[in-house]
Amino acid sequence: MDKYAEKILIVDDEADSLDLLRLNIKKLGYDCIAMQDSREALACAKQNLPDLILLDFMMPGLTGVELCALLKKEKELAHVPVIFSTGVGEISKKAEAFNAGAVDYIIKPINAIELGIRIKNHLSLFQARRELEQYALNMEKLANERARQLVHADRLATLGTFLACVAHEISNPATALGGNICLIESFLPLLGPKTANDKNMNIGKNEGNSDFAVNSMREIIPAMKDDMKRINCMVENLKCFSRKGHQEKKQFNLIDCVNNSIELCSKILKNKLKIQCSFVSQKVFLQGHQQQIEQVLVNLIINAAESVSSEKPVNIEIKVRSEGSNAFISVSDDGPGIAPENMPKIWDPFFTTKSPGKGTGLGLFIVRTIMEEHGGTITVDNNQNGGARFDIILPLINAV
Amino acid sequence: MQFKYQILIVDDEKNIRDMLSTHFQLLGYKTFTAENGQQALEIMSGNKCDMLISDISMPVMGGEQLLREVRKDYPMTHCIMMTGYVRMENILSCMRHGAETCIFKPFSDFNEMDEAVKSAAAHLEHWEAKLGMILKMKP
């Protein structure tokens, strides 16, 4: 495979100069395009997209400096390194050359070896810069992807906290349901002809028992429907919560978001917390990822619930209001609050006050990441009469 | 109607209380229900409860504490425990405090539950028979 030969555009009004230069450049192994008329050089550059441009300083019509300025204005040519070739008498014009955007100059008569070195240096510099830019772009993409994964990981960790409670929440209605189904099975032989498959319960089929069976069924069936609904609801909540978020930001109502979080936590951490909320208005619109803001609130609520180890439920107060161009949320609890020495550390990833094995410590770190992603802020303070209070500020969506 | 024995059912879930109540009524037992340990003790102080079927995690007073109180004050009452949180501590505690067994939720049939109740009933019948024999003996 032929190694790619870089293209060098040379512009010089003197024919002899131009020819000599072209020869030298070809000898160095580069492709060369030579233009004598500086006015045509711009069009030529646009068409050929050279890797490096060598301009003579003094040219009639369009001077080297003017041509350089024009080249720098073109989107596809702005980054191409430009080297001026100047006569000894023009050295004082160096400043002009650099201001126009040149990266170097070479003094005529041009030394072939020096020319070769300068061209090689600038080409490799340019190549290196291009690779670096690409690398930085890739790194940024990777970092964004990692951030998304981390947010998702925290979400799953939160889910883990829920699981013990969820298992309990599903197992109770499931128990009632299972038992009731067996009961209906037992009732069958009391209500109709007995078949070989019926469970032998040694209960006589008399009027008393039949009445009992029918009356019980009237109560059992609605109870079964109710339990089935509870199970389905819990499964739905889990599915919703563990779904990976959307990529694009969308408009959503913060009040819905807060209500969802409260509903989820109340159901799952039933006896551990009592949540009171006050919203100044029912519609507070933001632009962002609703699921992530829910994650933030759920994290804060769970932290509050777990700050107290006794059986007494934690009281949590959530307030939402909007003022000016921002929405304000405060989540306040009556737990033990945050120890002053821990205050600066709580935002650090992996900082936790829980015993080893419980909690990853990612929670507040992720919360802050999500806030930054949404252009918002979160701060914490201890309440006057005990407990911690988190204050969130998020920008409202611009009124359409 | 003569009831076989009287069972107290304790669980903070209404649907479970109702379900167990109906089942044991169908089998000929008289049933009482309570929402938590404290209510259970109140009922027991006024009614003869031969057996207790109780959940472990309940607000106000849980099953573990109830079990301890009942074994202390009503030694002839058989205690059958249930739990949704299947953990070693729960099981060991039930065992050490003299529960008949501990049934894990969710359960999809009454087999284990009925076995435990039958076994408790057999135990009570045995002692009742013994007491009956002594009463018949002339001094």
Side-chain angles (χ1 to χ4, degrees):
Chain A
M1 189 177 90
D2 278 333
K3 185 171 167 285
Y4 168 75
E6 280 104 338
K7 256 185 283 193
I8 308 202
L9 170 65
I10 54 179
V11 187
D12 196 325
D13 58 313
E14 281 177 26
D16 293 335
S17 237
L18 198 63
D19 278 337
L20 190 58
L21 211 47
R22 181 179 21 211
L23 232 71
N24 279 321
I25 286 177
K26 278 241 153 90
K27 243 200 267 184
L28 289 165
Y30 302 113
D31 261 352
C32 184
I33 306 167
M35 297 294 292
Q36 206 169 343
D37 188 334
S38 51
R39 284 164 300 187
E40 289 168 22
L42 182 63
C44 178
K46 287 210 306 215
Q47 193 181 354
N48 289 290
L49 297 178
D51 299 291
L52 190 142
I53 303 174
L54 202 52
L55 296 182
D56 185 28
F57 202 81
M58 285 294 238
M59 287 189 288
L62 207 55
T63 65
V65 170
E66 285 165 353
L67 177 55
C68 184
L70 287 173
L71 288 165
K72 290 301 169 191
K73 284 211 188 90
E74 293 293 326
K75 197 170 87 165
E76 296 134 351
L77 298 170
H79 56 275
V80 177
V82 172
I83 303 180
F84 274 104
S85 58
T86 67
V88 169
E90 293 148 7
I91 290 179
S92 56
K93 307 255 176 74
K94 264 190 283 178
E96 245 188 273
F98 285 124
N99 282 339
V103 297
D104 209 348
Y105 68 92
I106 187 164
I107 300 175
K108 287 185 187 172
I110 292 179
N111 177 304
I113 296 175
E114 197 184 339
L115 178 67
I117 293 174
R118 282 181 197 262
I119 290 178
K120 187 157 144 237
N121 281 347
H122 284 294
L123 282 175
S124 61
L125 198 67
F126 177 62
Q127 179 64 13
R129 213 180 81 201
R130 211 176 13 205
E131 278 170 18
L132 200 65
E133 273 168 13
Q134 188 60 36
Y135 183 72
L137 205 70
N138 288 344
M139 281 295 115
E140 202 181 308
K141 252 196 250 174
L142 203 66
N144 283 340
E145 178 58 28
R146 285 274 183 270
R148 266 191 353 107
Q149 285 174 355
L150 207 59
V151 167
H152 186 66
D154 171 71
R155 186 175 211 76
L156 294 182
T158 313
L159 213 60
T161 321
F162 280 164
L163 276 177
C165 297
V166 164
H168 191 247
E169 269 309 291
I170 291 185
S171 99
N172 272 342
T175 298
L177 207 51
N180 280 329
I181 289 173
C182 288
L183 276 173
I184 292 182
E185 220 182 5
S186 316
F187 290 151
L188 281 177
L190 298 176
L191 298 171
K194 196 170 155 86
T195 74
N197 292 334
D198 286 336
K199 225 159 73 159
N200 185 13
M201 286 192 80
N202 288 329
I203 301 167
K205 182 183 173 185
N206 60 46
E207 210 186 88
N209 281 335
S210 303
D211 285 345
F212 179 73
V214 170
N215 290 333
S216 298
M217 293 262 265
R218 290 194 207 286
E219 286 174 12
I220 285 175
I221 289 171
M224 288 171 75
K225 283 189 184 170
D226 178 60
D227 283 324
M228 206 57 236
K229 229 182 356 173
R230 277 168 67 185
I231 293 176
N232 288 337
C233 207
M234 187 56 45
V235 171
E236 261 320 301
N237 280 334
L238 285 178
K239 271 162 64 177
C240 250
F241 195 69
S242 59
R243 214 171 276 148
K244 246 196 173 157
H246 291 189
Q247 292 269 36
E248 317 88 45
K249 291 189 172 169
K250 291 192 178 144
Q251 178 177 323
F252 68 93
N253 186 355
L254 181 60
I255 304 298
D256 288 342
C257 178
V258 175
N259 280 332
N260 285 349
S261 312
I262 294 177
E263 197 185 309
L264 185 66
C265 292
S266 301
K267 270 204 192 108
I268 289 173
L269 301 172
K270 268 203 313 204
N271 298 327
K272 292 217 193 132
L273 37 79
K274 275 207 189 92
I275 302 184
Q276 261 184 326
C277 45
S278 76
F279 306 142
V280 166
S281 94
Q282 283 304 313
K283 291 200 199 299
V284 178
F285 290 105
L286 307 183
Q287 174 98 340
H289 306 279
Q290 177 169 352
Q291 211 192 22
Q292 286 187 6
I293 304 297
E294 276 172 21
Q295 196 172 335
V296 164
L297 292 164
V298 165
N299 257 309
L300 295 179
I301 295 173
I302 291 183
N303 281 351
E306 292 184 338
S307 66
V308 169
S309 51
S310 74
E311 289 299 312
K312 194 170 78 80
V314 174
N315 287 307
I316 298 178
E317 204 185 342
I318 301 180
K319 294 193 190 146
V320 182
R321 65 183 168 93
S322 60
E323 202 180 284
S325 55
N326 287 317
F328 297 84
I329 311 172
S330 83
V331 180
S332 181
D333 64 65
D334 66 351
I338 297 172
E341 65 267 17
N342 286 337
M343 271 292 190
K345 298 190 233 166
I346 58 172
W347 305 108
D348 293 341
F350 307 117
F351 173 77
T352 182
T353 53
K354 295 181 189 153
S355 42
K358 286 182 168 249
T360 56
L362 273 183
L364 287 179
F365 173 68
I366 297 296
V367 159
R368 191 167 247 189
T369 307
I370 294 176
M371 282 295 118
E372 282 166 16
E373 163 85 3
H374 284 78
T377 58
I378 179 166
T379 51
V380 65
D381 212 347
N382 284 323
N383 286 323
Q384 289 276 32
N385 37 351
R389 188 186 74 254
F390 286 85
D391 290 302
I392 294 172
I393 305 178
L394 284 164
L396 295 167
I397 194 173
N398 294 326
V400 173
Chain B
M1 183 179 162
Q2 177 75 24
F3 293 109
K4 278 154 100 169
Y5 287 110
Q6 310 198 133
I7 305 182
L8 172 57
I9 295 161
V10 193
D11 196 309
D12 57 333
E13 282 276 330
K14 178 180 187 298
N15 287 351
I16 292 184
R17 291 197 300 271
D18 290 347
M19 179 270 287
L20 287 172
S21 215
T22 308
H23 173 74
F24 286 109
Q25 280 175 26
L26 188 62
L27 289 174
Y29 296 89
K30 179 167 160 75
T31 63
F32 299 99
T33 61
E35 271 181 8
N36 56 54
Q38 193 170 300
Q39 250 186 37
L41 289 172
E42 281 164 23
I43 291 175
M44 285 179 85
S45 65
N47 301 280
K48 177 171 178 283
C49 297
D50 302 300
M51 298 177 215
L52 185 73
I53 299 176
S54 175
D55 191 18
I56 291 192
S57 33
M58 297 179 288
V60 182
M61 188 197 292
E64 255 179 276
Q65 198 182 339
L66 175 62
L67 177 61
R68 286 198 297 268
E69 301 287 324
V70 168
R71 298 307 296 144
K72 194 169 41 127
D73 297 333
Y74 304 95
M76 283 310 286
T77 298
H78 291 257
C79 300
I80 297 165
M81 310 304 289
M82 302 183 280
T83 183
Y85 289 107
V86 180
R87 274 196 293 240
M88 190 59 92
E89 310 100 69
N90 283 353
I91 314 307
L92 284 176
S93 183
C94 289
M95 212 170 74
R96 291 199 185 113
H97 288 102
E100 295 289 300
T101 182
C102 185
I103 300 175
F104 304 149
K105 288 185 199 172
F107 49 83
S108 38
D109 60 48
F110 290 111
N111 296 344
E112 199 184 343
M113 181 82 67
D114 287 347
E115 274 308 307
V117 165
K118 248 196 256 174
S119 150
H123 186 256
L124 290 167
E125 272 160 27
H126 169 84
W127 282 106
E128 263 168 39
K130 282 283 174 188
L131 289 170
M133 275 159 60
I134 293 191
L135 287 172
K136 284 204 194 103
M137 289 177 192
K138 297 254 155 60

